[in-house]
Amino acid sequence: MTHADISVVLPVHRGVVPAHLERALRSIAEQTALPREVILVEDGPLDSGHDLAIRRVRLPGLKRIRLEVNQGAGVANQAGLEAASSTWIAKCDADDVNVPDRFERQFAVVTETGAELCGSAMLEFVGAESDVRNYRATPLTHEAIVRRLPVNNPINHPTAFFNREVALRVGGYPEWRYMQDYGLFMRLVFGGARMVNLPEPLVLFRSGEQFTRRRRSTGVRQCERHVQRSLHELGFVSAPRMWFNLAWRLAFRRLPAPILALVYKRMLSQSASPHRDLSRRKMRGAIPAASPPERSTNFQ
């Protein structure tokens, strides 16, 4: 069987539910365009349940990289990026679900357009994959992505499909425990990489209370400072804009979890996505025609 010139980079840590990891891995093994290799970065020791989940799925060119202690997403993703051998990197999360033709679709787009990065929209779900809550949109064109960059992250990281050599040339992921993807994307834009996002959701993103708690954690608030400092140092924002961004984003993060979840939904949600039926069809009936998902921008 022919495999595409794609390396999947998928970090996993002990906090991931083994059943969720297995579902994520199966969504990779069932792609219409299989990757050449899957780089599984174990960010600290895993449990026996994780090992069993990994063994249950037949993955092409599986490479397991073991980090002795948990070092966070920045270090783990960079380790996977450096270990990969393909031209293209498909970033995947350990508890999300990729639609069956995600890699095929994105590989075709970067080939046709010459873009160095292709992302897409996502559908957020809670619990069962049929319980879709939001359509997380992103700006579509390179110009719109650059305009969004000083405000918030313009790429849904679990959907990112990018050129490995270009990413390494600009320094790859910063060693941040959180929001390391934002750091990579601003480095890519600063380095002249061309980007595009697709309006169709190619990933089902697992959301819920844990997602909200993580977004208001002390570690995330600390990384907000790294992000704003980097935006200023690379010339994307002025000093006054940097301090303004930092003030309102930190205030947002400090809201109590229930209020944060409500504000997140009310402030960022818009109309239902016209692409939801397409995604349901792609998931082969995994998402039945229930209540329509809402549309949201990407706030990390």
Side-chain angles (χ1 to χ4, degrees):
M1 179 180 294
T2 302
H3 295 79
D5 188 15
I6 299 168
S7 294
V8 171
V9 171
L10 189 151
V12 59
H13 56 82
R14 182 174 288 177
V16 175
V17 177
H20 297 170
L21 172 62
E22 183 175 345
R23 179 68 181 100
L25 295 177
R26 290 195 184 281
S27 75
I28 294 170
E30 295 169 355
Q31 288 291 305
T32 56
L34 287 174
R36 176 180 297 165
E37 60 184 5
V38 176
I39 312 297
L40 190 70
V41 183
E42 301 174 22
D43 191 10
L46 300 181
D47 294 332
S48 58
H50 298 105
D51 289 325
L52 181 59
I54 295 168
R55 291 198 301 269
R56 281 176 172 170
V57 184
R58 185 175 181 180
L59 295 165
L62 176 63
K63 297 180 182 178
R64 297 178 67 172
I65 299 175
R66 293 178 172 90
L67 305 181
E68 292 186 4
V69 297
N70 181 276
Q71 299 183 58
V75 172
N77 278 295
Q78 183 66 14
L81 179 62
E82 293 175 355
S85 62
S86 302
T87 302
W88 296 99
I89 300 294
K91 176 64 184 73
C92 295
D93 278 2
D95 55 358
D96 296 338
V97 181
N98 302 280
V99 303
D101 65 345
R102 176 197 161 188
F103 298 168
E104 180 181 5
R105 180 82 175 95
Q106 291 181 298
F107 190 86
V109 169
V110 296
T111 301
E112 294 168 3
T113 66
E116 281 89 18
L117 182 147
C118 176
S120 78
M122 298 192 304
L123 293 178
E124 294 184 4
F125 71 98
V126 177
E129 293 168 27
S130 58
D131 190 7
V132 175
R133 302 294 181 88
N134 292 310
Y135 167 84
R136 191 188 291 193
T138 47
L140 302 182
T141 67
H142 177 79
E143 292 72 21
I145 289 170
V146 173
R147 287 195 299 269
R148 176 72 65 81
L149 189 69
V151 180
N152 58 30
N153 194 340
I155 308 290
N156 288 321
H157 190 218
T159 74
F161 188 98
F162 57 92
N163 186 287
R164 176 180 179 269
E165 181 180 350
V166 173
L168 288 174
R169 188 172 66 234
V170 300
Y173 289 93
E175 293 184 356
W176 303 345
R177 182 165 286 273
Y178 304 103
M179 304 177 72
Q180 76 294 332
D181 52 328
Y182 204 167
L184 171 65
F185 301 146
M186 67 177 75
R187 288 177 175 182
L188 285 169
V189 171
F190 183 78
R194 299 290 298 180
M195 301 183 175
V196 63
N197 277 317
L198 300 176
E200 58 192 279
L202 299 180
V203 171
L204 296 182
F205 177 81
R206 193 179 299 274
S207 187
E209 292 183 3
Q210 184 177 0
F211 171 77
T212 302
R213 287 197 300 269
R214 187 167 65 248
R215 287 298 180 262
R216 63 186 300 272
S217 69
T218 300
V220 169
R221 293 199 298 269
Q222 291 174 344
C223 283
E224 289 281 14
R225 296 178 174 85
H226 294 314
V227 165
Q228 295 305 319
R229 187 180 301 114
S230 295
L231 285 170
H232 176 57
E233 291 174 351
L234 294 176
F236 291 112
V237 299
S238 63
R241 177 62 180 273
M242 174 186 69
W243 291 114
F244 173 79
N245 284 353
L246 187 60
W248 78 262
R249 291 177 71 93
L250 288 178
F252 184 85
R253 301 286 188 191
R254 290 181 181 276
L255 292 172
I259 299 177
L260 178 63
L262 179 62
V263 173
Y264 179 89
K265 182 176 180 179
R266 293 289 180 86
M267 184 173 68
L268 303 180
S269 295
Q270 301 176 28
S271 60
S273 164
H275 303 282
R276 64 181 182 273
D277 293 331
L278 172 62
S279 292
R280 286 173 180 145
R281 187 165 62 251
K282 284 184 176 181
M283 293 309 294
R284 299 171 183 169
I287 306 177
S291 58
E294 297 172 343
R295 179 173 179 168
S296 71
T297 55
N298 181 10
F299 184 94
Q300 294 199 347

